[in-house]
């Protein structure tokens, strides 16, 4: 038993060391710096909650947090709502021999650089872009719509990427559902909607939760898409953090904002975990 325990410890050691070096230590350093403060260009290392008080009291920081949460929740909801019908259609409406080809088409956006996709959407949404040109050619609008450099443009760019990600996670859950369960429900007189609501949806909840959580985590920490598509009309947390570092050299405030972001991710994780537990019960 001792040799087995040592063997297990040795096998786990690389993962434990990696996690400690690249997650525990950096997170601890950020948490420690968040209790310092910068006054008149001088770093004050006396621990205090001043940065967190500023985060709540200062409208600039509070609005950045609010906008980040609103954008992230909207993107997560839209991505899941659009991805579920697509994943369902691939799993149950596409012939098995064609499912791999359809999934390959679904992941095509992942083959393009994240920055390139954002600039491509900027060209589509620009005043002289495809959408405005088409609407003006059809006579539906007289002047170009302001689509680019708006919060809505950021949401569109995010959803375009994460619909495909959510589709993959939901599809993986759907294909693991035993077809006999759906056949048994039909034999017992359940309608298609009842079968979906009582069999398919609860059993596919892990895929929905995984896709939603990945979307939430990546969206709330993304800097590129809001910077390119949203401009600076509505600052989000990643942009605010970078401004603290580059323009003000206020590492403690940037650390406090980062910790606020980590708290949001943690709360989202526990909320989804509780939702999954309720579904299983």
């Amino acid at each position: 038993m001792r040799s087995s325990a040592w063997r297990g410890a040795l096998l786990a050691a690389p993962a434990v060391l990696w996690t400690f070096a690249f997650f525990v230590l950096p997170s601890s350093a950020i948490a420690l710096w968040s209790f310092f403060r910068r006054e008149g260009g001088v770093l004050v290392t006396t621990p205090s909650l001043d940065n967190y008080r500023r985060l709540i009291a200062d409208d600039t920081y509070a609005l950045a947090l609010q906008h980040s949460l609103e954008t992230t929740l909207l993107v997560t909801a839209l991505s899941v709502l659009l991805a579920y019908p697509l994943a369902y259609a691939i799993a149950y409406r596409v012939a098995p021999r064609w499912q791999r080809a359809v999934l390959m088409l679904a992941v095509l956006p992942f083959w393009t650089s994240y920055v390139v996709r954002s600039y491509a959407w900027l060209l589509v949404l620009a005043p002289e872009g495809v959408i405005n040109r088409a609407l003006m050619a059809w006579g539906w609008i007289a002047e170009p719509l302001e689509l680019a450099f708006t919060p809505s443009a950021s949401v569109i760019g995010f959803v375009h990427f994460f619909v495909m990600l959510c589709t993959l996670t939901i599809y993986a859950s759907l294909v693991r559902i035993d077809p006999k369960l759906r056949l048994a429900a039909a034999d017992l007189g359940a309608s298609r909607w009842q079968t979906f609501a009582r069999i398919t949806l609860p059993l596919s909840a892990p895929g929905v939760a995984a896709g939603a959580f990945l979307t939430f985590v990546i969206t709330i920490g993304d800097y590129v898409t809001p910077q390119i598509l949203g401009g600076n009309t509505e600052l989000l947390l990643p942009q605010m953090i970078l401004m603290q570092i580059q323009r003000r050299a206020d590492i403690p405030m940037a650390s406090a904002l980062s910790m606020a972001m980590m708290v949001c991710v943690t709360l989202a994780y526990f909320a989804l975990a509780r939702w999954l537990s309720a579904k299983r019960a």
Side-chain angles (χ1 to χ4, degrees), residues 28-245:
S28 301
I30 292 173
L32 178 63
W33 271 84
S34 69
F35 293 106
F36 300 158
R37 65 183 185 278
R38 189 175 178 84
E39 293 182 356
V42 178
L43 179 65
V44 179
T45 57
T46 304
S48 69
L49 296 175
D50 288 351
N51 292 325
Y52 293 100
R53 294 192 188 97
R54 289 170 58 195
L55 196 156
I56 298 174
D58 193 321
D59 290 342
T60 303
Y61 302 122
L63 282 176
L65 177 60
Q66 178 185 336
H67 293 158
S68 289
L69 289 175
E70 290 174 350
T71 300
T72 302
L73 292 174
L74 179 59
V75 169
T76 302
L78 289 176
S79 298
V80 171
L81 290 175
L82 292 175
Y84 201 101
L86 178 58
Y88 187 93
I90 296 174
Y92 297 132
R93 294 292 181 265
V94 177
R97 67 177 182 274
W98 295 109
Q99 287 184 7
R100 289 187 178 181
V102 174
L103 287 174
M104 186 69 68
L105 294 175
V107 300
L108 278 179
F110 292 96
W111 296 4
T112 308
S113 168
Y114 200 63
V115 177
V116 172
R117 283 198 303 271
S118 297
Y119 276 111
W121 270 112
L122 187 61
L123 294 176
V124 172
L125 300 173
E128 296 297 327
V130 175
I131 294 179
N132 277 312
R133 283 179 176 269
L135 293 177
M136 294 180 68
W138 295 335
W140 291 2
I141 58 174
E143 297 180 355
L145 300 175
E146 294 184 4
L147 300 175
F149 304 116
T150 63
S152 299
S154 298
V155 171
I156 292 172
F158 277 132
V159 170
H160 169 244
F161 178 77
F162 290 114
V163 162
M164 300 303 113
L165 181 63
C166 291
T167 298
L168 295 179
T169 59
I170 296 172
Y171 169 83
S173 289
L174 290 173
V175 295
R176 281 200 289 263
I177 298 175
D178 191 343
K180 295 179 182 178
L181 296 175
R182 301 171 69 240
L183 292 175
D187 289 339
L188 292 172
S191 64
R192 289 186 178 181
W193 170 249
Q194 290 174 326
T195 301
F196 172 78
R198 298 185 180 183
I199 303 295
T200 307
L201 183 59
L203 292 179
S204 62
V208 174
F213 182 68
L214 287 174
T215 302
F216 188 96
V217 171
I218 301 175
T219 302
I220 199 171
D222 188 277
Y223 171 81
V224 175
T225 300
Q227 187 67 19
I228 295 176
L229 293 177
N232 292 318
T233 56
E234 189 176 273
L235 292 178
L236 305 183
L237 271 181
Q239 295 169 296
M240 185 62 68
I241 291 171
L242 196 63
M243 287 177 62
Q244 301 302 309
I245 297 173

